[in-house]
């Protein structure tokens, strides 16, 4: 069992499975860009999990959630609307309609909206997951860590690939990509797209339909690199996606037991639909001593949804919402426009003094409307009938953020390095109630220093001590909320870690112990009676944790990874509810472990075989501040078998093979305004076959 536990990047014999040969050092070590420059993973004084395109393919990872499932002390839960996700890292968790605690960066551009933090990993070069505050390098919202995603770059040679898979629930995924040169070494292109459809697997027991259906979800992406001069590189990317899928399929849990796994029974089927557009332009200019980089990004996020809000039906629950004899529904419209601009200067080479400095600007314009209505017909269109609307919240939020940042590395000796980082954020927020004209304004500011001392006693050995401050901005709840403004959250992280390598990299053991002191810990609940989604603060939280990760290559072609994580998040001071002092924080999982065992090698003439098992174990999950709703431990096991020859590959896969039952969100009635607990079911067992071809 121990050899099946796992996480993170593979030790090499499989380092070609982690990053491409262009990104691997001559010794075969894993190379990452976690500190904005190419470095050996084992030389970076940060706990980093790195996965390259081959590793992601071998693990069957289709999105960031799948990659995070390979990392201890970290989860990404899907709940609520189709694209809504909740990241939790080292006890710091995502809040609905607020900034994420983990910066998600795609090709240098931050993804600041909650609907953007779980992008598809199709045609991805690599993904790096950094733990601990990373504001001096990765900017806004890097309070608990950062996820750095790099898409595959265009190539001179004409290359391409396609894949298609079919699984239970009539689930279809197809994708294709083509790359080449319009003018060799001067103008390179890459275009690709993917499409998904599923009839779903989670049955609505009232309608008989599957609540988690995906009518369609497709993405088209294009990228162009232009090198007009030897020193200048321009890199542009455009992406468009469109979707329509099941939404808000919460189950009514009448027993009020977080381990009573019920199916949805709603009479009003939830649906999300919308589209997203992303534009990116990056310019690099080589100044010899440093590289000057400009990164501009624009995103338009549009998502509408409607669903049941009492999460029952008039046949089985004739008493209706709060026993009033009525059924209610909710409709929401979100439109968010995001522009970001970053300029930075990064030193070239491996001199004793290395630096990265820059400035950042972000503007977000967000319109959000929520209507709660009496449900008479089971149709989402009822939200537009004024006679049926019982609550209407319509706000427009403007956010302007400014920041300056920098980080310096100084080699004091060959074995000793000192790192200093700093970031200062100013977050100016304005909210307009479009129904009343009321305008609210507030600014949030925070300095975020970081200091690290790194000692390398011998080749393949590293010790580090680090301190860093993390920051997540505050903001506004809906105008009629009992808590109109929630405060900014900050943490002080004290961490000691080590990295070791033995047997020419065939065995690696990395680990860290950390202590976080959090001020104004943000947590979330829903008030169904007013249609409000509310964010509030816990005054003080202390978090203590440990991480250990082992990567091994015991035999040629055989790789094993083991990872464990422990997080104790303790409420120290809670002025609003002093009786909860000493409790665990919401969504806290005290212990988790992950693992993989994979064989990739020749099994015949020009035939490569692959067999892989992934394992994820989560200890009890504490859903709420009162700790009354606790989900028992659960285990997810995934598997994949395949053969490859001549550019072709055929694979059989399965996820959640034991069909474990669990909730990805659980809300007791005390925190929802409902008269029943609500649970959001995790995905049941899925299985299927996949074909791939590349040239």
């Amino acid at each position: 069992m121990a050899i099946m536990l796992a996480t993170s990047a593979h030790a090499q014999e499989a380092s070609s499975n982690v990053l491409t040969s262009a990104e691997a050092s001559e010794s075969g070590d894993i190379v990452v860009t976690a500190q904005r420059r190419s470095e050996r993973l084992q030389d970076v004084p940060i706990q980093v999990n790195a996965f390259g395109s081959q590793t992601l393919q071998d693990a069957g990872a289709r999105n960031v959630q799948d990659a995070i499932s390979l990392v201890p002390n970290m989860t990404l839960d899907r709940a609520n609307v189709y694209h809504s996700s909740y990241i939790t890292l080292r006890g710091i968790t995502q809040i609905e309609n607020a900034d994420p605690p983990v910066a998600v960066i795609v090709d240098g551009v931050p993804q600041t909206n909650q609907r953007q933090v779980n992008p598809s990993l199709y045609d991805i070069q690599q993904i790096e997951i950094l733990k601990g505050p990373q504001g001096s390098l990765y900017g806004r919202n890097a309070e608990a860590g950062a996820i750095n995603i790099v898409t595959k770059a265009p190539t001179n040679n004409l290359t391409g690939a396609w894949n298609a898979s079919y699984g239970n629930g009539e689930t279809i995924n197809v994708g294709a990509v083509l790359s080449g040169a319009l003018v060799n070494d001067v103008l390179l292109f890459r275009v690709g797209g993917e499409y998904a459809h599923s009839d779903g697997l989670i049955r609505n027991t009232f309608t008989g339909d599957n609540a988690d259906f995906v009518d369609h979800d497709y993405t088209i992406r294009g990228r162009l690199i232009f090198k007009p001069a030897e020193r200048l590189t321009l890199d542009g990317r455009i992406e468009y996606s469109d979707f329509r899928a099941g939404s808000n399929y919460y189950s009514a849990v009448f027993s009020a037991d977080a381990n009573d796994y019920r199916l949805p029974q709603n009479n009003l089927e939830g649906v999300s639909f919308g589209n997203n557009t992303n534009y990116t332009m990056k310019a690099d200019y080589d100044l010899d001593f440093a590289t000057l980089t400009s990164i501009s990004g624009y995103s338009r996020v549009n998502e509408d949804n409607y669903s049941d809000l009492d999460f029952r039906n008039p046949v089985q629950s004739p008493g209706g919402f709060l026993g009033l004899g009525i059924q209610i529904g909710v409709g929401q419209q979100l439109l968010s426009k995001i522009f970001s601009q970053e300029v930075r200067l990064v030193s070239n080479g491996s001199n004793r003094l290395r630096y990265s400095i820059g400035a950042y600007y972000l503007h977000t314009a967000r319109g959000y409307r929520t209507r709660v209505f009496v449900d008479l017909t089971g149709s989402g269109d009822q939200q537009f009938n004024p006679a049926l609307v019982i609550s209407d919240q319509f706000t427009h939020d403007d956010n302007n953020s400014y920041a300056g940042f920098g980080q310096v590395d100084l080699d004091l000796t060959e074995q000793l390095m000192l790192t200093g980082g700093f970031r200062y954020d100013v977050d100016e927020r304005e909210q307009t109630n479009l129904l009343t004209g009321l305008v609210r304004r507030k600014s949030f500011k925070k300095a975020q220093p970081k200091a690290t001392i790194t000692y390398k006693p011998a080749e393949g050995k590293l010790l580090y001590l680090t301190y860093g401050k993390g920051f997540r901005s505050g903001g506004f709840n809906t105008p009629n909320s009992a808590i109109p403004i929630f405060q900014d959250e900050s943490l002080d992280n004290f961490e000691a870690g080590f990295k070791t390598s033995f047997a020419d990299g065939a065995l690696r053991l990395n680990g860290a112990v950390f202590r976080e002191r959090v001020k104004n810990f943000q947590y979330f609940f829903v008030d169904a009676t007013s249609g409000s989604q509310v964010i509030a603060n816990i005054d003080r939280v202390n978090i203590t944790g440990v991480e250990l990760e082992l990567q091994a290559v015991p035999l040629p072609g055989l790789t094993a990874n083991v990872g464990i994580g422990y997080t104790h998040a303790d409420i120290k001071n809670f002025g609003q509810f002093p009786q909860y002092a000493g409790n665990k924080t919401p969504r806290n999982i005290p212990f988790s472990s992950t693992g993989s065992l994979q064989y990739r090698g020749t099994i015949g003439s020009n035939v490569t075989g692959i067999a892989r098992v992934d394992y994820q174990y989560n200890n009890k999950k504490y859903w709420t501040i009162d700790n009354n709703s606790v989900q028992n431990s659960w285990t997810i096991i995934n598997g994949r078998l395949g053969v490859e020859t001549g550019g072709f590959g055929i694979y059989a896969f399965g996820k959640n093979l034991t069909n474990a039952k669990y909730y990805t969100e659980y809300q007791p009635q005390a925190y929802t305004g409902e008269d029943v607990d609500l649970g959001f079911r995790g995905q049941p067992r899925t299985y299927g076959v996949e074909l791939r071809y590349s040239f």
Side-chain angles (χ1 to χ4, degrees):
M1 183 65 70
I3 202 170
M4 291 172 60
L5 304 174
T7 69
S8 84
H10 287 214
Q12 193 74 0
E13 166 114 2
S15 102
S16 60
N17 293 348
V18 178
L19 300 178
T20 65
S21 59
E23 295 166 316
S25 67
E26 292 181 0
S27 64
D29 287 309
I30 301 164
V31 176
V32 297
T33 57
Q35 298 194 110
R36 298 296 194 188
R37 56 171 56 88
S38 294
E39 298 174 284
R40 294 171 63 248
L41 176 64
Q42 293 298 99
D43 290 337
V44 178
I46 304 170
Q47 292 301 307
V48 183
N49 298 83
F51 306 97
S53 58
Q54 187 64 63
T55 299
L56 295 170
Q57 177 181 320
D58 289 347
R62 296 187 177 275
N63 49 43
V64 169
Q65 181 182 26
D66 291 338
I68 284 176
S69 70
L70 307 175
V71 179
N73 266 351
M74 190 174 190
T75 60
L76 189 151
D77 296 326
R78 284 194 55 214
N80 203 358
V81 299
Y82 176 59
H83 275 157
S84 187
S85 302
Y86 300 86
I87 291 180
T88 301
L89 175 56
R90 289 183 170 182
I92 307 297
T93 188
Q94 171 74 52
I95 306 297
E96 179 70 21
N97 295 326
D99 293 332
V102 176
V104 178
I105 312 295
V106 179
D107 289 339
V109 177
Q111 310 298 295
T112 59
N113 190 282
Q114 184 182 358
R115 272 68 170 174
Q116 297 176 297
V117 301
N118 188 28
S120 167
L121 295 181
Y122 183 75
D123 202 32
I124 294 299
Q125 179 59 48
Q126 67 194 69
I127 177 173
E128 301 165 4
I129 300 173
L130 294 72
K131 299 177 180 178
Q134 305 297 331
S136 59
L137 288 175
Y138 286 93
R140 193 172 183 274
N141 299 331
E143 177 193 20
I147 299 174
N148 184 34
I149 300 171
V150 181
T151 64
K152 288 187 176 180
T155 55
N156 258 321
N157 298 328
L158 186 66
T159 61
W162 61 261
N163 71 285
S165 68
Y166 177 79
N168 58 325
E170 302 296 321
T171 301
I172 299 170
N173 286 275
V174 296
V177 64
L178 183 68
S179 179
L182 300 175
V183 180
N184 279 344
D185 299 319
V186 176
L187 191 59
L188 313 178
F189 74 91
R190 191 175 192 93
V191 294
E194 60 177 331
Y195 170 84
H197 167 83
S198 178
D199 286 350
L201 295 168
I202 298 175
R203 186 170 61 91
N204 183 322
T205 58
F206 179 71
T207 65
D209 298 324
N210 291 326
D212 60 329
F213 73 93
V214 179
D215 178 76
H216 69 270
D217 186 351
Y218 67 82
T219 300
I220 302 171
R221 179 190 301 160
R223 187 174 176 185
L224 197 66
I225 291 181
F226 178 42
K227 300 180 180 180
E230 182 178 354
R231 293 176 178 268
L232 179 63
T233 300
L234 302 177
D235 186 349
R237 182 170 68 91
I238 183 172
E239 181 178 88
Y240 176 81
S241 63
D242 190 278
F243 61 91
R244 182 181 179 88
S247 170
N248 282 308
Y249 44 88
Y250 288 89
S251 303
V253 185
F254 295 97
S255 65
D257 180 357
N259 300 289
D260 182 10
Y261 301 110
R262 296 293 176 175
L263 291 170
Q265 53 168 275
N266 312 326
N267 69 295
L268 201 168
E269 291 272 28
V271 177
S272 283
F273 53 94
N275 52 74
N276 301 327
T277 307
N278 297 291
Y279 303 93
T280 302
M281 175 55 72
K282 180 182 178 184
D284 290 306
Y285 190 79
D286 188 351
L287 300 172
D288 288 332
F289 67 93
T291 298
L292 180 64
T293 299
S294 168
I295 303 177
S296 305
Y298 174 80
S299 297
R300 184 181 185 275
V301 180
N302 178 29
E303 181 169 15
D304 291 4
N305 78 89
Y306 58 82
S307 70
D308 214 315
L309 193 56
D310 57 85
F311 301 104
R312 283 158 288 179
N313 62 79
V315 176
Q316 294 167 293
S317 301
F321 177 65
L322 299 179
L324 300 175
I326 61 171
Q327 304 288 312
I328 62 171
V330 63
Q332 297 172 314
Q333 293 84 42
L334 168 70
L335 177 60
S336 185
K337 298 178 181 179
I338 307 161
F339 171 77
S340 65
Q341 176 64 54
E342 180 177 324
V343 178
R344 66 171 180 259
L345 186 70
V346 180
S347 61
N348 291 335
S350 54
N351 299 323
R352 286 185 58 198
L353 180 66
R354 301 171 298 280
Y355 57 85
S356 173
I357 57 175
Y360 174 77
Y361 169 72
L362 171 74
H363 174 72
T364 302
R366 174 180 176 269
Y368 194 60
R369 188 164 194 170
T370 300
R371 297 182 181 95
V372 177
F373 58 89
V374 176
D375 173 20
L376 301 178
T377 65
S379 168
D381 291 339
Q382 296 171 102
Q383 64 181 296
F384 304 115
N385 184 346
L388 298 178
V389 173
I390 56 179
S391 175
D392 192 354
Q393 303 290 327
F394 192 12
T395 59
H396 179 84
D397 290 87
D398 269 305
N399 179 24
N400 287 291
S401 297
Y402 312 86
F405 58 89
Q407 181 165 305
V408 175
D409 297 324
L410 176 62
D411 294 331
L412 301 177
T413 69
E414 290 186 1
Q415 289 80 35
L416 195 63
M417 180 179 74
L418 183 64
T419 299
F422 187 81
R423 180 181 181 88
Y424 189 79
D425 275 294
V426 177
D427 209 21
E428 298 177 345
R429 294 182 178 258
E430 177 182 288
Q431 184 186 81
T432 303
N433 185 336
L434 297 178
L435 299 178
T436 67
L438 176 67
V439 178
R440 300 186 289 178
R441 298 183 179 90
K442 189 171 179 61
S443 294
F444 302 91
K445 305 175 182 179
K446 187 67 66 175
Q448 301 149 71
K450 182 177 181 179
T452 305
I453 186 165
T454 306
Y455 177 58
K456 299 178 181 178
E459 183 67 24
K461 310 292 188 296
L462 179 148
L463 303 170
Y464 71 87
L465 293 171
T466 186
Y467 162 78
K469 180 177 281 291
F471 166 70
R472 175 164 46 166
S473 181
F476 301 105
N477 287 310
T478 54
N480 68 336
S481 172
I483 304 174
I485 297 176
F486 59 94
Q487 300 303 314
D488 59 281
E489 176 182 278
S490 63
L491 69 81
D492 294 286
N493 178 60
F494 304 86
E495 183 172 336
F498 68 91
K499 295 186 176 184
T500 58
S501 180
F502 307 94
D504 295 325
L507 179 65
R508 292 174 178 162
L509 178 65
N510 300 339
V513 58
F514 58 90
R515 173 77 165 178
E516 297 174 340
R517 297 189 304 198
V518 188
K519 181 180 179 181
N520 292 327
F521 184 99
Q522 296 176 1
Y523 74 100
F524 168 80
F525 61 94
V526 177
D527 180 5
T529 57
S530 65
S532 300
Q533 298 174 331
V534 183
I535 301 171
N537 297 96
I538 300 172
D539 300 276
R540 294 282 182 178
V541 168
N542 285 348
I543 301 174
T544 302
V546 177
E547 291 161 351
L548 287 173
E549 299 180 7
L550 174 69
Q551 304 106 40
V553 185
L555 297 170
L558 182 66
T559 59
N561 296 307
V562 178
I564 61 173
Y566 169 78
T567 302
H568 177 76
D570 180 35
I571 297 175
K572 296 299 294 182
N573 184 18
F574 200 174
Q576 185 182 8
F577 299 108
Q579 68 272 27
Y580 297 147
N583 284 6
K584 293 179 173 58
T585 56
R587 292 184 176 270
N588 180 236
I589 299 176
F591 178 81
S592 62
S593 63
T594 57
S596 67
L597 182 64
Q598 175 177 307
Y599 175 77
R600 169 180 277 277
T602 302
I603 59 174
S605 178
N606 298 319
V607 178
T608 298
I610 174 175
R612 180 181 176 103
V613 174
D614 286 289
Y615 168 96
Q616 180 187 25
Y617 169 80
N618 289 296
N619 191 229
K620 293 181 178 180
K621 190 164 188 173
Y622 293 79
W623 286 108
T624 54
I625 54 176
D626 59 14
N627 289 184
N628 289 332
S629 299
V630 182
Q631 183 167 288
N632 293 337
S633 61
W634 73 100
T635 300
I636 304 294
I637 297 177
N638 302 331
R640 191 172 176 89
L641 290 170
V643 293
E644 301 169 348
T645 182
F648 284 95
I650 183 169
Y651 314 88
F653 63 86
K655 294 187 176 183
N656 191 8
L657 290 171
T658 61
N659 203 27
K661 294 180 175 61
Y662 60 100
Y663 288 125
T664 60
E665 185 176 29
Y666 189 85
Q667 291 284 353
Q669 57 182 290
Y671 300 93
T672 63
E674 300 270 4
D675 54 352
V676 66
D677 287 11
L678 303 176
F680 197 93
R681 288 289 294 265
Q683 279 292 298
R685 176 169 47 230
T686 61
Y687 51 87
V689 295
E690 181 179 10
L691 297 175
R692 285 183 174 268
Y693 175 70
S694 60
F695 63 89

